[in-house]
């Protein structure tokens, strides 16, 4: 996609006669920098799920309106990317704000939260690589891994392969610090004891566990793990919702079988001033196609 | 607190003689500072609060409460750690106008880590404790905007009678002995303001008419002495008459100062916070009682404006201009008169009185119009106090004479250039907020302002409305129960064009300016209640929603999150009217007091009970659910080790990577 997104509120679409991406088995939505005022200033906070569904809707609607429907006919990996100017903002740190800002990479802190919907270590690698490539960054300061089940249900042996991937990126200095989400004891301590690069933080949802268990509090303080908070839902987006939003704007065959596998939320903050510079999402899904 | 220069103060006549000298050199000093430091960049966020505590004494037997004139005894002890080890204090102390005031600030500024928001309350509490430790039985540190019976007979301990013929203020109500004497500044200010304007300061506050208030209300001043009649020509009926600088400057403020990354950012934030000054004033209202009477105002601001007013009758406009240079519409203590960023010019819709010599001098030195106007406006004032040692300075290095004028313009915002010989950058001071009775509330207000600045910078918001509307708001804000009953001019849409591109979002949001019916003359602002401004409505986003959006993108540790949530909850409920302001609560307390006769009079006994209750609330011995609803706070003085470690690690790694690249 290489065009500005249009005002799509009133668009009504004719049913399509044939699918738009019949060969696609992988799909990626990358929002670019979403820090935008007009929407923010009109509505109250949306959940991350709503934000993502809304973004995907708009992207697909715009594609329909512009009738760029041929472009993905032969693609196996369909990528909806922001316009090229967009990505330059994340690299041109002077950005659109005042000319007096002279930011360097060191002034920024990139934080990434990866919501995984599968325990496949290769998925994690692919996701991290995609983020690094699209953001055009050599390293990320903080990466948090989140799994759809609450930490209490996953077993260490299932999680360790994922953490090994992370450690690999840390060794290569592509990730500087990494953490986990919704881990309780004993999973957190088991992980801590089994790994080389210790998690620097554990993110918990205060809405779900209203008060922090005393022993968890004690453990994190003793082991220098930051206890951070989040208010993300357990599952960011499921198959049904993802397929439905595609079905709404595309051909029915375009929507079948998609399984969202990883969702990433990232932001960059001007470290020593507490100002958010960029924010965005990646949504990656896969499917198997039955050949006709 | 102002500039506490040591040395030999000049008499008023000499000070006046040097007025032009001070101005010329002050401007020179500013120009040098500007040239040297205008390109300073990337200063980190550092900020701090100032709390002006009061010390009081209870006489439980006689049911009386006094202002305790003990600051001169305890301040030297409080300031000792700074003398020993100036770089390593958790708190810093300064004297203020009155001997019953002690001003405390954090020892080191708070920084940019989210966890710093969790330290503010703990540091305020520590300051309170440090003051409290030095007091005797029945003596307490209190934080509130105004002592309700200040200026009433025997309101201090020790007690003193005002001596109108010999005192610096010539006040009927406020003895000289109240003024902090260990630094000459305050008495000199008092004397010089009166000498310059050639009369006593005077202000009349409308009395709150209750069911039994005498109509008309005319105060009997004979109890204040034989000369009382001569002294009260300025009093008017149905009003409470104030005649002493100290009745204004002896009030307490809550101020926040923060460092910007550059001069441009400082000017930007200065402007953006101006529309918030009346809003925060209304939200923090805490001064309904003056000289023992319930009044129609809830805030100290206008009282301070009048009590610090050094204008002569010619300057005020009640006499034609002969000897003075300018007609000046406002006191040197007042709300700001103009925005100072180049982009804000169209919102300066009021005439700004300026010293045109100063203006031209600045323009010649490549300072832009808006900043030159601001400085030229500040420099219409005379110096009020001058020390011999300030007369012969090096203008390329010192800033004392600039600060002399800058710091005696007491406005709702202050733009602060870097001081000489320091590593401090361009700063902005937010000054209107009234001091609340609990550390929790004060921390909440201060945190709200700082978070709002982060959100404004993140989302490139614009809050500006014409400055005349801000001045109107300042009037609305101070009225009785303004928070629940008044509407304020506020900008309708805070979006700007300078937001980072986000094509998909601009498509979702109809871009109004592209619609053919878009009316460019449509007003950018409208009247809103505090509830709408803070909590939003179906037409306006609400400042709290903006802050919440910002916070959702920041890594907050659980304790800080909890603390901030409680602070924002307080702000939200107070704006909605489900929690009271301090002022409303005090009115209720008086109205429901068994001894109150519904005649607007707050007697010694009522004041005693009110302040005793406040003291217990402040010290967590009693609750005040009408004003504050909170769980035990997680506030702490220490930045946790984990955070420090994380930051150190990042620094190391980043330099590693940079070395490799």
């Amino acid at each position: 996609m290489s065009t500005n997104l249009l005002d799509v509120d009133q668009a009504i679409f004719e049913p399509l006669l044939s699918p738009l991406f019949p060969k696609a088995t992988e799909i990626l939505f990358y929002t670019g920098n979403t820090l935008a005022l007009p929407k923010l200033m009109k509505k109250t906070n949306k959940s991350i799920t709503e934000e993502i569904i809304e973004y995907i809707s708009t992207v697909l609607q715009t594609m329909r309106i512009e009738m760029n429907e041929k472009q993905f006919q032969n693609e196996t990996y369909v990528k909806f990317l922001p316009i090229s100017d967009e990505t330059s903002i994340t690299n041109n740190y002077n950005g659109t704000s005042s000319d007096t800002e002279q930011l360097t990479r060191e002034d920024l802190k990139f934080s990434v939260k990866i919501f995984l919907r599968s325990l496949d270590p290769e998925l994690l690698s692919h996701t991290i690589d995609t983020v690094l490539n699209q953001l055009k960054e050599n390293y990320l300061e903080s990466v948090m891994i989140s799994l759809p089940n609450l930490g209490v249900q996953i077993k260490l042996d299932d999680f360790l392969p994922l953490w090994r991937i992370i450690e690999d990126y840390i060794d290569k200095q592509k990730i500087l610090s990494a953490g986990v989400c919704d881990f309780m004891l004993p999973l957190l301590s088991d992980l801590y004891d089994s790994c080389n690069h210790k998690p620097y933080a554990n993110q918990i949802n205060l809405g779900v566990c209203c008060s922090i268990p005393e022993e968890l509090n004690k453990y994190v303080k003793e082991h220098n793990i930051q206890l951070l908070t989040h208010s993300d839902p357990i599952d960011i987006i499921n198959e049904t919702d993802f397929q439905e939003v595609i079905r709404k704007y595309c051909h029915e065959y375009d929507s079948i079988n998609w399984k969202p596998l990883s969702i990433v939320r990232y932001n960059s903050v001007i470290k020593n001033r507490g100002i958010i510079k960029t924010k965005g999402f990646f949504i990656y899904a896969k499917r198997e196609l039955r050949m006709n | 607190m102002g500039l506490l220069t040591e040395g030999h103060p000049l008499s008023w006549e000499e000070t006046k003689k040097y007025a032009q000298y001070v101005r010329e050199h002050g401007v020179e000093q500013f120009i040098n500072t500007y040239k040297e430091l205008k390109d300073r960049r990337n200063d980190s966020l550092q900020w701090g609060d100032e709390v002006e505590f009061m010390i009081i004494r209870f006489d439980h037997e006689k049911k009386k409460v006094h202002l305790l004139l003990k600051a001169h005894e305890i301040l030297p002890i409080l300031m000792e750690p700074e003398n020993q080890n100036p770089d390593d204090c958790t708190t810093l102390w300064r004297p203020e106008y009155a001997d019953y005031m002690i001003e405390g600030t954090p020892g080191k500024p708070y920084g940019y880590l989210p966890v710093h928001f969790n330290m503010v309350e703990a540091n305020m509490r520590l300051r309170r404790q440090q003051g409290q430790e030095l007091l005797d039985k029945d003596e307490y540190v209190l934080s509130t905007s105004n002592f309700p019976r200040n200026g009433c007979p025997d309101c201090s301990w020790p007690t003193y009678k005002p001596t109108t013929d010999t005192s610096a203020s010539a006040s009927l109500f406020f003895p000289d002995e109240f003024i902090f004497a260990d630094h000459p500044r305050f008495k000199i200010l008092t004397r010089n303001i009166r000498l310059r304007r050639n009369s006593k300061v005077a202000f009349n506050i409308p009395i709150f008419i209750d069911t039994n208030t005498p109509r008309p209300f005319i105060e009997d001043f004979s109890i204040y002495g034989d000369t009382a009649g001569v002294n009260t020509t300025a009093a008017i009926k149905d009003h409470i008459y104030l005649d002493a600088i100290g009745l204004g400057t002896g009030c307490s403020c809550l101020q926040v100062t923060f460092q910007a990354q550059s001069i441009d950012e400082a000017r930007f934030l200065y402007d953006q916070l101006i529309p918030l000054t009346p809003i925060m004033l209304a939200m923090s209202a805490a001064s309904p009682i003056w000289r023992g009477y319930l009044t129609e105002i809830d805030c100290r601001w206008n009282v301070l404006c009048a009590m610090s007013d050094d204008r002569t009758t010619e300057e005020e406009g009640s006499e034609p201009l002969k000897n003075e240079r300018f007609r000046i519409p406002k006191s040197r203590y007042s709300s700001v008169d103009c925005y100072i960023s180049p982009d804000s010019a169209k919102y300066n819709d009021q005439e700004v009185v300026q010293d045109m010599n100063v203006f031209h001098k600045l323009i010649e030195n490549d300072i832009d119009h808006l900043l030159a106007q601001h400085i030229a406006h500040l420099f219409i004032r005379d110096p009020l106090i001058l020390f011999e040692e300030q007369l012969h300075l090096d203008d390329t290095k010192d800033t004392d004479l600039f600060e002399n004028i800058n710091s005696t313009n007491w406005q709702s915002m202050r733009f602060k250039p870097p001081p000489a010989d320091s590593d401090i950058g361009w700063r902005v001071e937010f000054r209107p907020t009234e001091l609340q009775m609990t550390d929790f509330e004060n921390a909440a207000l201060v945190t709200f302002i700082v978070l709002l600045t982060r959100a404004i910078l993140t989302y490139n918001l614009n809050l500006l409305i014409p400055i005349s509307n801000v001045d109107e708001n300042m009037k609305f804000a101070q009225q009785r129960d303004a928070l629940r009953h008044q509407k304020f001019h506020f900008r309708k849409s805070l979006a700007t064009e300078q937001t980072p591109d986000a094509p998909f979002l601009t498509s979702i949001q109809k871009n109004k300016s592209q619609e053919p019916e878009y009316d460019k003359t449509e007003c950018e602002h409208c009247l809103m209640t505090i509830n709408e401004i803070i909590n939003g409505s179906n037409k306006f986003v609400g400042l709290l929603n903006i802050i919440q959006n910002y916070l959702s993108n920041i890594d907050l540790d659980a304790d800080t999150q909890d603390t901030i949530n409680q602070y924002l909850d307080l702000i939200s409920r107070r704006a909605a009217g489900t929690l009271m302001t301090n002022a409303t609560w005090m009115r209720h307390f008086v109205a429901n007091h068994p001894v109150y006769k519904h005649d607007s009079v707050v007697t010694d006994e009522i004041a005693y009970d009110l302040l005793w209750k406040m003291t217990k609330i402040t010290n967590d011995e009693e609750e005040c659910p009408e004003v504050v609803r909170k769980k035990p706070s997680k506030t702490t003085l220490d930045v946790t080790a984990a955070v420090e470690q994380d930051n150190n690690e990042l620094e190391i790694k980043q330099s590693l990577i940079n070395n490799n690249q």
Side-chain angles (χ1 to χ4, degrees), chain A residues 45 100 106 176 267 273-274, chain B residues 264-265 549-550 553 653 658:
Chain A
N45 302 327
T100 62
E106 258 178 50
L176 302 193
N267 70 34
R273 288 162 51 215
Chain B
D264 288 337
E265 189 182 89
N549 237 287
Y550 166 79
N553 294 301
K653 284 180 174 175
N658 288 333

Side-chain angles (χ1 to χ4, degrees), chain A residues 3-10 31-46 51 54-55 58-59 62 82-83 85-86 89 96-109 111 138-139 141-142 144 170 173-177 197 200 203-204 206 212 217 220-221 223-231 265 267 269 271-277 279, chain B residues 39 41-46 111-113 260-262 264-265 453-455 457-462 492-512 535 537-542 544-546 548-559 561-562 565 631 634 640-643 645-647 649-651 653-658 660-661:
Chain A
T3 179
N4 280 322
L5 297 177
L6 308 172
D7 181 350
V8 297
D9 276 3
Q10 305 303 327
T31 63
N33 184 8
T34 67
L35 269 189
L37 222 39
K39 173 178 172 167
L40 176 69
M41 295 301 109
K42 283 285 176 174
K43 300 176 187 173
T44 51
N45 302 327
K46 283 190 147 62
E51 258 193 278
E54 194 163 353
Y55 176 74
T58 309
V59 160
T62 305
I83 59 177
D85 288 352
E86 198 39 59
I89 279 179
T96 53
S97 40
S98 90
D99 292 311
T100 62
E101 278 211 65
Q102 294 152 3
L103 292 174
T104 65
R105 175 62 181 86
E106 258 178 50
D107 295 323
L108 294 179
K109 173 177 169 168
S111 298
N138 288 319
Y139 63 93
E141 277 79 354
S142 159
M144 306 292 290
I170 295 179
Q173 293 185 322
K174 296 269 168 208
I175 292 177
L176 302 193
S177 296
H197 293 295
Y200 87 100
Q203 234 192 35
I204 58 174
L206 278 184
I212 305 158
N217 214 355
V220 297
K221 285 196 162 67
H223 293 82
N224 263 343
I225 299 173
Q226 279 184 67
L227 206 55
L228 302 175
T229 60
H230 76 86
S231 51
R265 180 180 53 218
N267 70 34
V269 171
K271 230 177 102 69
N272 68 354
R273 288 162 51 215
I275 296 166
I276 305 162
K277 199 73 193 147
K279 174 188 165 176
Chain B
D39 294 321
R41 294 277 175 277
N42 286 340
D43 282 315
S44 63
L45 172 64
Q46 291 194 306
Y112 52 84
L113 295 173
Q261 72 110 358
S262 64
D264 288 337
E265 189 182 89
T453 61
R454 300 305 96 192
L457 288 171
T458 290
Y459 300 119
N460 278 302
L461 302 180
N462 180 14
K492 291 193 283 198
S493 167
L494 307 184
T496 66
E497 284 157 16
Q498 276 115 351
T499 61
D501 285 352
F504 87 93
L505 288 167
T506 45
S507 75
I508 288 175
Q509 169 63 34
K510 276 196 191 355
N511 194 343
K512 276 194 130 187
N535 290 315
S537 66
N538 54 9
K539 287 187 280 182
F540 182 70
V541 60
L544 277 179
N545 286 324
I546 296 173
Q548 291 290 11
N549 237 287
Y550 166 79
L551 287 172
S552 67
N553 294 301
I554 299 290
D555 281 334
L556 287 176
D557 65 279
D559 285 350
Q561 171 86 81
D562 189 57
N565 280 346
K631 310 175 291 190
K634 303 242 175 78
T640 59
V643 175
Q645 185 198 41
D646 170 55
N647 281 301
E649 216 178 67
L650 282 181
E651 307 267 19
K653 284 180 174 175
Q654 275 177 334
S655 60
L656 269 179
I657 289 181
N658 288 333
N660 290 341
Q661 281 169 350

Side-chain angles (χ1 to χ4, degrees), chain B residues 102-119:
Chain B
I102 50 176
E103 178 187 289
T105 63
K108 289 203 190 43
Y110 311 117
Y112 52 84
L113 295 173
V115 83
H116 285 125
F117 291 112
N118 203 25
M119 296 171 70

Side-chain angles (χ1 to χ4, degrees), chain B residues 355-594:
Chain B
D355 182 328
M356 290 316 284
N357 292 328
V358 170
F359 180 81
H360 289 304
K361 183 91 197 276
L362 295 166
I363 296 286
E364 280 162 29
N365 279 278
D366 292 325
I367 290 168
D368 64 81
H369 180 120
L370 271 270
L371 189 56
Q373 177 176 255
H374 169 73
I375 303 289
H377 174 55
L378 297 178
F379 273 72
I380 60 177
R381 309 288 179 182
D382 284 341
L384 281 177
I385 173 168
L386 197 53
F387 290 83
E388 224 177 82
E389 290 75 2
Q390 292 177 304
L391 287 176
H392 307 288
L393 299 170
D394 181 348
D395 289 341
T396 61
K397 293 212 193 77
D398 298 306
T399 50
D400 276 33
L401 292 181
F402 170 76
E403 283 305 331
N404 185 311
I405 301 291
N406 196 29
S407 71
T408 56
N409 271 273
W410 293 282
Q411 296 192 307
S412 45
M413 298 290 304
R414 187 177 280 141
F415 175 68
K416 295 171 75 145
D421 284 334
S422 78
D423 202 30
I424 299 172
W426 297 88
R427 293 151 301 150
V428 170
E429 188 181 2
F430 186 83
R431 299 171 44 84
T433 320
E434 304 238 308
L435 190 60
Q436 313 294 280
M437 57 180 168
T438 63
D439 303 317
F440 176 81
E441 295 168 89
N442 289 322
L445 291 171
V446 149
T447 300
F448 175 75
I449 286 290
V450 181
L451 282 174
L452 196 53
T453 61
R454 300 305 96 192
I456 290 172
L457 288 171
T458 290
Y459 300 119
N460 278 302
L461 302 180
N462 180 14
L463 276 65
L464 301 196
I465 58 176
I467 199 94
S468 62
N469 292 124
V470 178
D471 269 355
E472 267 191 293
N473 282 351
M474 285 296 279
K475 291 202 190 80
F476 300 154
Q478 302 179 60
Q479 291 175 24
R480 176 167 57 90
D481 212 6
L483 189 147
R484 287 187 296 186
H485 296 128
Q486 286 293 334
K487 285 196 174 189
F488 296 82
H489 301 288
F490 209 79
R491 195 180 176 91
K492 291 193 283 198
S493 167
L494 307 184
T496 66
E497 284 157 16
Q498 276 115 351
T499 61
D501 285 352
F504 87 93
L505 288 167
T506 45
S507 75
I508 288 175
Q509 169 63 34
K510 276 196 191 355
N511 194 343
K512 276 194 130 187
S513 63
Q514 281 161 13
E515 282 171 10
E517 323 86 62
Y518 179 65
D519 179 6
K520 283 216 157 43
T521 62
E522 183 192 322
C523 202
E524 291 176 329
H525 62 273
C526 64
L527 289 169
M528 297 185 208
T529 60
I530 298 280
N531 190 22
E532 282 182 271
I533 292 170
I534 300 287
N535 290 315
S537 66
N538 54 9
K539 287 187 280 182
F540 182 70
V541 60
L543 297 179
L544 277 179
N545 286 324
I546 296 173
I547 290 179
Q548 291 290 11
N549 237 287
Y550 166 79
L551 287 172
S552 67
N553 294 301
I554 299 290
D555 281 334
L556 287 176
D557 65 279
D559 285 350
T560 303
Q561 171 86 81
D562 189 57
T563 299
I564 291 183
N565 280 346
Q566 288 197 59
Y567 292 164
L568 297 182
D569 189 54
L570 170 77
I571 304 268
S572 177
R573 287 181 200 260
R574 185 176 288 189
T578 50
L579 288 178
M580 294 181 183
T581 59
N582 283 202
T584 302
W585 177 78
M586 290 173 190
R587 288 181 188 277
H588 277 241
F589 186 93
V590 171
N592 295 323
H593 195 282

